[in-house]
Each structure stands twice: as structure tokens, then as C-alpha cells.
Amino acid sequence: MKTILITGSNSDIGIAVAKALSDQPLQLALQYYSNHSKASELQAWLDAKTVRSRLFQCDLTKPEQAESLIAQTLSEFGSIDDLINVVGPFVYKDVLDVTPQEWFDDINQNLHTCFYTCHYALDELRRNQGQIINFAFSGVENIKAWPMSAGYCAAKTGVAALTKSLAVALAPHKVRVNAICPGLVEEGHISAEERRQMASQIPYGRPIHPDEIGKTAAWLVWNSPESMTGSLITVAGAWEY
């Protein structure tokens, strides 16, 4: 039975990933930073499906807390087979108005957190010939001007580079490393007008549903080819940021 650690598990995408994975026997370690009630709702849903899970509240921008998360997961479940790094908030602000602290926070929350969890889980993932799934965004591989989200995009471009670098370094150990690159995702309680505005930008004609991201993660974990590693997998309805 696999043990899977999901960071940012109480985000809409994190919840969708956890639910999609739970169609197979597994154990889930669920990291979250805030909003305990939303995390608890997910755990209650998993309990109803008799999926063993545990919530871990921690701040992954602090490397010592990332290290502790890995240690606590191993103490609770005995192994980690897959690491799914969902955590990474989107920030929309003109780069000319971004402060040095805001820039640091963007990089810290979106890139450093990803590196820290990967770093501290490496020994266990090598032992289990496991898998890492990171999150970037649709179009990340094409350097463009992103003046309203420069910090976020710089960080996620770093995640793409980290994903490919880890894939090469870990391939001899049969550890796979891929990234999912979502487009405009219909998260939270967006209005009908917001939905129309999003849809007008997307060739497919509608935003991406969180459960479609969840299904992609589940496919990577359960059904993707054994040699598939170093891939950036776009789920965006042919839209690029």
C-alpha cells in the first residue's frame, strides 16, 4: 500500500488530488499551513472512505519544518512512496510595485518549499523507487513577460528547472520526477461573470476543473509509464499563461 504525502492539501487542487488518489488503497499524509477546518473536512471525507490519513500543520518556508514533516510522516506511516508538492500561492501584483519582501515571499513559498520537501524526502524516495510530482503552470517552459505576476512565474519557472534537474539526477535510482502545469483553474466560489471572463481566454471554452488536475495526478501515480520522468504535463484547454 502506497503512502503519499501531499503538501498544500487543503487547497482546491490539493483536495481534488487527495480525492482522486483515494480510489486506490493508500495512506495519505496531508500537510497544510492554515484553515484547519477545510483540512478537517477533507480528512472527514477520507475517513468516510476508510482511507487512513493524518493532518500535519507546518510552515514549509522553514526548512526545519519541512524536515520535521518528512520525519513525522515516516514515524506515522513508516514510508513515503510519492511526494506531491501542491503548495504554492499565486500572487497578482505589478512587478513595479512589488516590495523586496513580497518578492522573497513569492520565491520562498513557491520554489523553496518545493526544494525543501524534495531534499528531505530523497533518501526515502530512493529506497522506495518513488515519485515526485511538482506543480508549475501552463506555458512555464516558454519565457515570456509576466509583469503582473513576475515573482510567482519566476518561482514556478524555477520549479520546472528543479523538476527536470531532479529527474535526471534521480533516474539512475528509478525515482521519477514530473510536474503538472495547470491553466486557469476554477477554484473557490468564482462568480458567473468571472467564469465567463476566464472561458473567453481559453480555446477549449471553459476553465479547468480541479478534479481534472486530480485525475492527472492519479494517472501519474497509478498508471503512467514507468520511464516517464522529467515531463511537464499541461492541463489547460490549449491556453498558455
Side-chain angles (χ1 to χ4, degrees), residues 77-92:
F77 296 108
S79 68
I80 298 172
D81 297 285
D82 297 83
L83 168 63
I84 304 180
N85 284 308
V86 178
V87 69
F90 178 79
V91 177
Y92 191 77

PDB file of all heavy atoms in Angstrom, residues 77-92:
ATOM      1  N   PHE A  77       3.614   6.604   9.329  1.00  0.00           N
ATOM      2  CA  PHE A  77       3.243   5.638   8.294  1.00  0.00           C
ATOM      3  C   PHE A  77       4.347   4.634   7.941  1.00  0.00           C
ATOM      4  O   PHE A  77       4.078   3.636   7.282  1.00  0.00           O
ATOM      5  CB  PHE A  77       2.815   6.366   7.019  1.00  0.00           C
ATOM      6  CG  PHE A  77       1.573   7.201   7.184  1.00  0.00           C
ATOM      7  CD1 PHE A  77       1.643   8.584   7.201  1.00  0.00           C
ATOM      8  CD2 PHE A  77       0.333   6.603   7.319  1.00  0.00           C
ATOM      9  CE1 PHE A  77       0.503   9.365   7.344  1.00  0.00           C
ATOM     10  CE2 PHE A  77      -0.819   7.361   7.462  1.00  0.00           C
ATOM     11  CZ  PHE A  77      -0.737   8.753   7.481  1.00  0.00           C
ATOM     12  N   GLY A  78       5.584   4.943   8.305  1.00  0.00           N
ATOM     13  CA  GLY A  78       6.672   4.008   8.047  1.00  0.00           C
ATOM     14  C   GLY A  78       7.360   4.143   6.718  1.00  0.00           C
ATOM     15  O   GLY A  78       8.434   3.571   6.506  1.00  0.00           O
ATOM     16  N   SER A  79       6.773   4.896   5.782  1.00  0.00           N
ATOM     17  CA  SER A  79       7.387   5.068   4.465  1.00  0.00           C
ATOM     18  C   SER A  79       6.767   6.264   3.762  1.00  0.00           C
ATOM     19  O   SER A  79       5.716   6.767   4.175  1.00  0.00           O
ATOM     20  CB  SER A  79       7.216   3.814   3.603  1.00  0.00           C
ATOM     21  OG  SER A  79       5.849   3.635   3.262  1.00  0.00           O
ATOM     22  N   ILE A  80       7.426   6.712   2.678  1.00  0.00           N
ATOM     23  CA  ILE A  80       6.868   7.688   1.749  1.00  0.00           C
ATOM     24  C   ILE A  80       7.166   7.156   0.348  1.00  0.00           C
ATOM     25  O   ILE A  80       8.326   6.959  -0.007  1.00  0.00           O
ATOM     26  CB  ILE A  80       7.476   9.090   1.914  1.00  0.00           C
ATOM     27  CG1 ILE A  80       7.196   9.649   3.308  1.00  0.00           C
ATOM     28  CG2 ILE A  80       6.921  10.049   0.842  1.00  0.00           C
ATOM     29  CD1 ILE A  80       7.936  10.953   3.598  1.00  0.00           C
ATOM     30  N   ASP A  81       6.121   6.902  -0.415  1.00  0.00           N
ATOM     31  CA  ASP A  81       6.294   6.384  -1.771  1.00  0.00           C
ATOM     32  C   ASP A  81       6.208   7.490  -2.824  1.00  0.00           C
ATOM     33  O   ASP A  81       6.877   7.412  -3.851  1.00  0.00           O
ATOM     34  CB  ASP A  81       5.238   5.323  -2.066  1.00  0.00           C
ATOM     35  CG  ASP A  81       5.389   4.124  -1.147  1.00  0.00           C
ATOM     36  OD1 ASP A  81       6.322   3.333  -1.356  1.00  0.00           O
ATOM     37  OD2 ASP A  81       4.579   3.988  -0.207  1.00  0.00           O
ATOM     38  N   ASP A  82       5.357   8.471  -2.566  1.00  0.00           N
ATOM     39  CA  ASP A  82       5.171   9.558  -3.514  1.00  0.00           C
ATOM     40  C   ASP A  82       5.056  10.874  -2.750  1.00  0.00           C
ATOM     41  O   ASP A  82       4.406  10.931  -1.688  1.00  0.00           O
ATOM     42  CB  ASP A  82       3.911   9.354  -4.347  1.00  0.00           C
ATOM     43  CG  ASP A  82       3.971   8.113  -5.217  1.00  0.00           C
ATOM     44  OD1 ASP A  82       3.670   7.015  -4.704  1.00  0.00           O
ATOM     45  OD2 ASP A  82       4.338   8.238  -6.395  1.00  0.00           O
ATOM     46  N   LEU A  83       5.665  11.921  -3.318  1.00  0.00           N
ATOM     47  CA  LEU A  83       5.598  13.270  -2.759  1.00  0.00           C
ATOM     48  C   LEU A  83       4.944  14.168  -3.793  1.00  0.00           C
ATOM     49  O   LEU A  83       5.432  14.265  -4.933  1.00  0.00           O
ATOM     50  CB  LEU A  83       6.999  13.778  -2.435  1.00  0.00           C
ATOM     51  CG  LEU A  83       7.149  15.272  -2.115  1.00  0.00           C
ATOM     52  CD1 LEU A  83       6.362  15.645  -0.854  1.00  0.00           C
ATOM     53  CD2 LEU A  83       8.623  15.637  -1.969  1.00  0.00           C
ATOM     54  N   ILE A  84       3.844  14.810  -3.421  1.00  0.00           N
ATOM     55  CA  ILE A  84       3.128  15.690  -4.345  1.00  0.00           C
ATOM     56  C   ILE A  84       3.145  17.101  -3.770  1.00  0.00           C
ATOM     57  O   ILE A  84       2.498  17.383  -2.755  1.00  0.00           O
ATOM     58  CB  ILE A  84       1.691  15.205  -4.581  1.00  0.00           C
ATOM     59  CG1 ILE A  84       1.700  13.757  -5.082  1.00  0.00           C
ATOM     60  CG2 ILE A  84       0.980  16.111  -5.584  1.00  0.00           C
ATOM     61  CD1 ILE A  84       0.325  13.171  -5.339  1.00  0.00           C
ATOM     62  N   ASN A  85       3.891  17.976  -4.420  1.00  0.00           N
ATOM     63  CA  ASN A  85       4.073  19.351  -3.938  1.00  0.00           C
ATOM     64  C   ASN A  85       3.063  20.293  -4.574  1.00  0.00           C
ATOM     65  O   ASN A  85       3.333  20.939  -5.584  1.00  0.00           O
ATOM     66  CB  ASN A  85       5.495  19.822  -4.250  1.00  0.00           C
ATOM     67  CG  ASN A  85       6.526  19.219  -3.323  1.00  0.00           C
ATOM     68  OD1 ASN A  85       6.389  19.274  -2.096  1.00  0.00           O
ATOM     69  ND2 ASN A  85       7.564  18.633  -3.894  1.00  0.00           N
ATOM     70  N   VAL A  86       1.886  20.379  -3.965  1.00  0.00           N
ATOM     71  CA  VAL A  86       0.845  21.280  -4.467  1.00  0.00           C
ATOM     72  C   VAL A  86       1.066  22.698  -3.956  1.00  0.00           C
ATOM     73  O   VAL A  86       0.717  23.674  -4.625  1.00  0.00           O
ATOM     74  CB  VAL A  86      -0.554  20.777  -4.052  1.00  0.00           C
ATOM     75  CG1 VAL A  86      -1.650  21.726  -4.536  1.00  0.00           C
ATOM     76  CG2 VAL A  86      -0.806  19.379  -4.604  1.00  0.00           C
ATOM     77  N   VAL A  87       1.645  22.844  -2.788  1.00  0.00           N
ATOM     78  CA  VAL A  87       1.740  24.150  -2.135  1.00  0.00           C
ATOM     79  C   VAL A  87       2.398  25.176  -3.059  1.00  0.00           C
ATOM     80  O   VAL A  87       3.337  24.869  -3.786  1.00  0.00           O
ATOM     81  CB  VAL A  87       2.515  24.041  -0.800  1.00  0.00           C
ATOM     82  CG1 VAL A  87       3.989  23.731  -1.025  1.00  0.00           C
ATOM     83  CG2 VAL A  87       2.359  25.307   0.029  1.00  0.00           C
ATOM     84  N   GLY A  88       1.871  26.420  -3.061  1.00  0.00           N
ATOM     85  CA  GLY A  88       2.423  27.482  -3.889  1.00  0.00           C
ATOM     86  C   GLY A  88       1.371  28.499  -4.287  1.00  0.00           C
ATOM     87  O   GLY A  88       0.723  28.347  -5.320  1.00  0.00           O
ATOM     88  N   PRO A  89       1.168  29.550  -3.500  1.00  0.00           N
ATOM     89  CA  PRO A  89       0.097  30.521  -3.770  1.00  0.00           C
ATOM     90  C   PRO A  89       0.415  31.440  -4.944  1.00  0.00           C
ATOM     91  O   PRO A  89       1.557  31.839  -5.162  1.00  0.00           O
ATOM     92  CB  PRO A  89       0.018  31.318  -2.463  1.00  0.00           C
ATOM     93  CG  PRO A  89       1.396  31.228  -1.892  1.00  0.00           C
ATOM     94  CD  PRO A  89       1.907  29.868  -2.265  1.00  0.00           C
ATOM     95  N   PHE A  90      -0.619  31.773  -5.703  1.00  0.00           N
ATOM     96  CA  PHE A  90      -0.495  32.707  -6.827  1.00  0.00           C
ATOM     97  C   PHE A  90      -0.645  34.140  -6.311  1.00  0.00           C
ATOM     98  O   PHE A  90      -1.555  34.437  -5.544  1.00  0.00           O
ATOM     99  CB  PHE A  90      -1.570  32.426  -7.875  1.00  0.00           C
ATOM    100  CG  PHE A  90      -1.536  33.383  -9.041  1.00  0.00           C
ATOM    101  CD1 PHE A  90      -0.599  33.224 -10.054  1.00  0.00           C
ATOM    102  CD2 PHE A  90      -2.428  34.439  -9.117  1.00  0.00           C
ATOM    103  CE1 PHE A  90      -0.559  34.096 -11.132  1.00  0.00           C
ATOM    104  CE2 PHE A  90      -2.401  35.320 -10.186  1.00  0.00           C
ATOM    105  CZ  PHE A  90      -1.459  35.144 -11.205  1.00  0.00           C
ATOM    106  N   VAL A  91       0.259  35.018  -6.728  1.00  0.00           N
ATOM    107  CA  VAL A  91       0.207  36.431  -6.341  1.00  0.00           C
ATOM    108  C   VAL A  91       0.115  37.278  -7.603  1.00  0.00           C
ATOM    109  O   VAL A  91       0.896  37.096  -8.539  1.00  0.00           O
ATOM    110  CB  VAL A  91       1.453  36.834  -5.516  1.00  0.00           C
ATOM    111  CG1 VAL A  91       1.416  38.318  -5.187  1.00  0.00           C
ATOM    112  CG2 VAL A  91       1.529  36.002  -4.240  1.00  0.00           C
ATOM    113  N   TYR A  92      -0.844  38.188  -7.641  1.00  0.00           N
ATOM    114  CA  TYR A  92      -1.081  39.043  -8.809  1.00  0.00           C
ATOM    115  C   TYR A  92      -0.829  40.493  -8.403  1.00  0.00           C
ATOM    116  O   TYR A  92      -1.617  41.092  -7.690  1.00  0.00           O
ATOM    117  CB  TYR A  92      -2.520  38.867  -9.297  1.00  0.00           C
ATOM    118  CG  TYR A  92      -2.811  39.495 -10.643  1.00  0.00           C
ATOM    119  CD1 TYR A  92      -2.396  38.886 -11.819  1.00  0.00           C
ATOM    120  CD2 TYR A  92      -3.519  40.693 -10.741  1.00  0.00           C
ATOM    121  CE1 TYR A  92      -2.668  39.440 -13.055  1.00  0.00           C
ATOM    122  CE2 TYR A  92      -3.803  41.264 -11.976  1.00  0.00           C
ATOM    123  CZ  TYR A  92      -3.365  40.624 -13.134  1.00  0.00           C
ATOM    124  OH  TYR A  92      -3.638  41.187 -14.362  1.00  0.00           O
TER     125      TYR A  92
END
